[in-house]
Amino acid sequence: MGGRPVWAEVNLQTLRENFYKLQTYTKSEIMPIVKADAYGHGAIPVVKTLIACGAQCFGVALLQEALEIKAAFPEVTVMVIGATERNESDTLVERDIIPTVFQLAQAQALSESAVRLNRTARLHIKIDTGMGRIGFRETDVAEILRIADLPNLFIEGIFTHFATADQRDLSFARKQLKCFKTVYEELKRAGLTIPIRHAANSAGIIQFPESHFELVRLGISLYGLTPSSQIDGNIGLEPVMAWKAKVSHVKTINTGETVSYGRTFQAAYPTVVATVPVGYADGMRRALSNQGEMLIHGRRSTIIGRICMDQTMLDVTKIPGVKVEDVVTILGKDGNDQLTATEMGDWMGTISYEVVCGISKRVPRVYIDPTEP
Ligand SMILES: *Cc1c(COP(=O)(O)O)cnc(C)c1O
């Protein structure tokens, strides 16, 4: 475990199974989204595993992330689904990384780089159909057509992103889809046919098949987590990551004694306290003080007192026999119980995405691959 009694287990076989299962939901090509170090799972091992499953094109948020993947897997196609800067055009062209273009000036810079380097730059056009983040708007068709006239560019794709595909009510998502189709058709009528259209994220692949087009961008579902508690997550995906630690200390405190900073926990009865060497510097959010839970011996124990930077205390009074070095499950299965990032997110008013991305670099990732000898 690399010395530290806190670690995250990433099961690559589960990742494979999720990929194959998701592929049964769509005929479209899957572009795995591996931004933010594959949602905290580790981009390089995740990409390597998914290449072996047949994935050919990966999406990231930043040029830096794209460069890391290209350095390890030069043959793979990488797209930056977020913004890049104009002064990054040379790098994008040299490394054949696909940028998202949503401003004319950006396309001009890319075209100039491509001309100078005597290459053709691939790009995807982003349409803002209601997410309100980045993208050309419905009224910008003329500008997109000007991009099509710039030298040494190939507009390979056009895409949009849904604001509400994870909600039960899909009426706004349908409106966005309609807008996207209108822009695409207008461009086509003007003589610009773009081969790859994409719109669906994980929520879209599950409950919005009309949005699949040629390519789907899947992030959270590959990691076995549901995009929101509003959609039925029971499609057989399993969380890829588990988060564990070993108990560092066990003691019994008397009634009236307190635990941790600010003395926010006071024992109402003699309490058996287990200390776990994980804290907010590891991504164990302080907001879970006095309310989060962890599994130990297959049972739930409650966090007592404030979570510290490096340590957290549990009430294990009702769990007999807890001792130093026992394994604590922060996320994952133990016995018949399971803690998911979705549940942990619910405790602190956030989503599973933020939980897994928040597990800090200090927590070593341990890769488990049962198919490897
Ligand atoms: C992060 C992201 C995705 C993936 O979303 P999931 O909900 O994790 O599947 C897809 N498209 C864009 C533009 C994104 O930013």
Side-chain angles (χ1 to χ4, degrees), residues 1-7 277-279 282 310 360 362-364:
M1 300 294 126
R4 241 204 121 196
V6 178
W7 68 99
V278 65
D282 301 296
D310 322 294
S360 74
R362 201 169 83 167
V363 178

Side-chain angles (χ1 to χ4, degrees), residues 33 35 39 81 126 133 161 201-202 217-220 353:
I33 303 299
K35 60 192 178 191
Y39 294 41
I81 57 176
K126 179 78 185 276
R133 201 163 61 173
H161 192 58
N201 54 3
S202 291
R217 303 186 303 270
L218 301 188
I220 203 78
Y353 301 68

Side-chain angles (χ1 to χ4, degrees), residues 243-281:
W243 186 9
K244 296 181 182 174
K246 282 184 186 168
V247 171
S248 58
H249 190 54
V250 183
K251 65 175 174 294
T252 303
I253 60 169
N254 299 319
T255 304
E257 287 192 281
T258 62
V259 169
S260 195
Y261 291 116
R263 307 184 71 210
T264 58
F265 174 85
Q266 184 171 34
Y269 46 81
T271 302
V272 186
V273 180
T275 303
V276 187
V278 65
Y280 58 78

